[in-house]
Amino acid sequence: MSNTINNKPHRRYNILTGEWILVSPHRTKRPWQGKKDQKSELQKVAYDPNCYLCPTNERASGDVNPDYKGTYSFTNDFAALLPDVEPEQYKEGLLQAETEMGICKVVCFSPNHALTLPLMEVEEITNVVKLWKEEYKSLGEKKGINHVQIFENKGAIMGCSNPHPHGQIWSQSSIPQEVVKKQEKQKEYWEANNSSLLQDYLKQELELKERILLENDHFVALMPYWAVWPYEAMIVPKEHYQDISQLNEKEEVAFAEIIKELTIMFDNLFETSFPYSSGIHQRPTDGGKHPEWHFHMSFYPPLLRSAEVKKFMVGYEMFANPQRDITAESAAETLRGLPKVHYSKK
């Protein structure tokens, strides 16, 4: 793309969803008188007797957590989906609804209350990856479960109700809309080119280098050309894998390494425990082979200029389409220039 269009208002196309985003790079020249936050202090309490996710503690349901030493998963006590819901449909005129069954689980990344992914050892994150694989496979094999969504909400600003390092997995009978959109675009490309949409995209990005954040033998972390959030990132395997169950042991470690390196980048940007929502999109578990799918993990962090300045989707973005001022290229350059060691270790 020419530098000329990079400096003008323009739209960028999201190849995975078919949607557009408005980019307004000239707006970065407007004056900003905000402050630079002081380095935030990280929590240091390894065990909190009042935390319902810490080992040996009683949860709100009355169940007691085992004295787990590594990763630990359990069925969510306040699940959004329930497994024993009888099929039922409602239709009256233009109104329609149907019941939805599913299983929701909580995944504790570590017994240590004070840790987050960038502060965990690679071996510990590898165990999280292994548990994600196990849960994807076991949940996906259950009757009526056609989609498994692995995700993490990090930080109170993202609605996380407990600071203990954890994520969630929601599995359900229907395939969610965001996944359907990505499936349709990947299938369309696969049938036209007999190749993976994301694998071909990755080749182009690796040639350009503009938006690449990190790379190892098996994975690439980059800022997508169509990124919506200021420092949005995506991790993509170099091999055309449909889901995480296909990763071998070396690839599990490589995945863990790049997750750690990327989340350190985030924390170092504003020297704070960087909030985000992350999630893995992969092929549905509806029994289809889905050769078009190429799994990937996306990170949507809301921070814009400091630890306290958040980007909100308001006005034009709520009624038209997403918009950003900082280009993906300049945001990627900023992240690449950060120290590789976590700011708390300096």
Side-chain angles (χ1 to χ4, degrees):
M1 184 177 70
S2 70
N3 289 329
T4 305
I5 198 171
N6 248 356
N7 297 322
K8 299 175 182 177
H10 62 278
R11 295 197 307 158
R12 296 190 179 190
Y13 182 67
N14 184 333
I15 60 172
L16 283 172
T17 65
E19 298 169 339
W20 292 84
I21 172 176
L22 176 65
V23 184
S24 311
H26 58 289
R27 280 166 52 92
T28 58
K29 297 175 183 176
R30 61 183 174 159
W32 168 250
Q33 296 178 321
K35 64 174 183 174
K36 184 182 186 303
D37 296 303
Q38 296 297 312
K39 185 184 300 184
S40 68
E41 293 295 322
L42 299 173
Q43 61 175 348
K44 297 179 181 178
V45 178
Y47 169 75
D48 181 351
N50 297 312
C51 169
Y52 62 84
L53 296 182
C54 278
T56 72
N57 285 359
E58 182 177 336
R59 302 200 303 272
S61 63
D63 292 334
V64 176
N65 296 324
D67 189 14
Y68 65 96
K69 304 300 182 184
T71 55
Y72 168 59
S73 64
F74 61 91
T75 301
N76 197 321
D77 298 321
F78 301 97
L81 296 161
L82 301 172
D84 300 319
V85 178
E86 292 295 324
E88 184 179 347
Q89 292 187 332
Y90 166 80
K91 186 169 177 58
E92 185 174 342
L94 296 176
L95 309 179
Q96 61 177 323
E98 60 185 22
T99 52
E100 180 80 354
M101 63 81 66
I103 301 168
C104 297
K105 305 197 79 171
V106 175
V107 178
C108 295
F109 297 160
S110 168
N112 189 328
H113 186 79
L115 295 183
T116 54
L117 287 174
L119 297 174
M120 290 169 61
E121 298 297 330
V122 169
E123 182 181 356
E124 295 173 314
I125 303 174
T126 302
N127 288 332
V128 174
V129 172
K130 289 179 183 293
L131 185 54
W132 285 340
K133 286 178 60 176
E134 292 171 11
E135 292 288 2
Y136 171 79
K137 191 171 186 297
S138 63
L139 288 168
E141 288 175 347
K142 292 184 183 298
K143 183 180 179 181
I145 296 297
N146 295 312
H147 176 71
V148 178
Q149 183 60 61
I150 298 167
F151 67 97
E152 178 195 5
N153 292 323
K154 179 175 178 256
I157 199 172
M158 300 308 291
C160 182
S161 60
N162 189 313
H164 193 101
H166 74 286
Q168 297 185 57
I169 303 176
W170 291 14
S171 60
Q172 62 191 102
S173 53
S174 68
I175 301 174
Q177 276 305 122
E178 198 67 16
V179 182
V180 169
K181 285 187 287 187
K182 289 188 175 185
Q183 178 162 303
E184 288 175 350
K185 300 309 291 185
Q186 289 181 98
K187 187 175 183 179
E188 179 183 294
Y189 189 88
W190 175 264
E191 290 178 346
N193 300 279
N194 197 33
S195 61
S196 157
L197 173 62
L198 274 184
Q199 195 166 39
D200 288 351
Y201 168 67
L202 206 55
K203 289 175 185 175
Q204 186 174 352
E205 287 286 24
L206 287 169
E207 289 173 2
L208 295 171
K209 302 291 185 187
E210 292 178 297
R211 289 166 292 274
I212 301 298
L213 300 173
L214 298 158
E215 180 184 2
N216 60 33
D217 289 343
H218 303 287
F219 286 89
V220 175
L222 56 85
M223 188 156 290
Y225 178 67
W226 54 83
V228 169
W229 297 96
Y231 295 97
E232 179 179 329
M234 181 167 66
I235 296 175
V236 187
K238 292 181 177 179
E239 290 291 330
H240 176 203
Y241 290 149
Q242 286 76 44
D243 63 68
I244 57 172
S245 73
Q246 295 169 293
L247 297 177
N248 62 35
E249 289 187 2
K250 285 185 178 180
E251 291 163 338
E252 290 170 356
V253 174
F255 193 17
E257 287 173 341
I258 209 162
I259 289 173
K260 180 177 175 67
E261 291 169 5
L262 177 60
T263 52
I264 285 176
M265 268 186 175
F266 285 155
D267 277 16
N268 284 350
L269 180 60
F270 299 128
E271 295 190 333
T272 190
S273 186
F274 208 75
Y276 58 74
S277 282
S278 68
I280 298 174
H281 275 160
Q282 53 196 325
R283 69 173 151 194
T285 56
D286 57 359
K289 291 185 177 180
H290 295 292
E292 72 277 5
W293 261 96
H294 193 133
F295 98 78
H296 51 283
M297 184 176 190
S298 296
F299 290 77
Y300 301 149
L303 298 187
L304 179 57
R305 293 189 183 94
S306 76
E308 295 180 357
V309 179
K310 178 183 183 294
K311 176 180 173 64
F312 290 92
M313 294 291 180
V314 294
Y316 177 87
E317 292 162 315
M318 295 178 73
F319 295 101
N321 58 239
Q323 181 273 341
R324 65 180 290 146
D325 297 342
I326 306 170
T327 64
E329 295 76 36
S330 61
E333 185 178 4
T334 298
L335 289 179
R336 284 196 301 266
L338 296 170
K340 306 304 179 189
V341 178
H342 195 274
Y343 73 89
S344 66
K345 309 293 184 182
K346 295 179 184 176

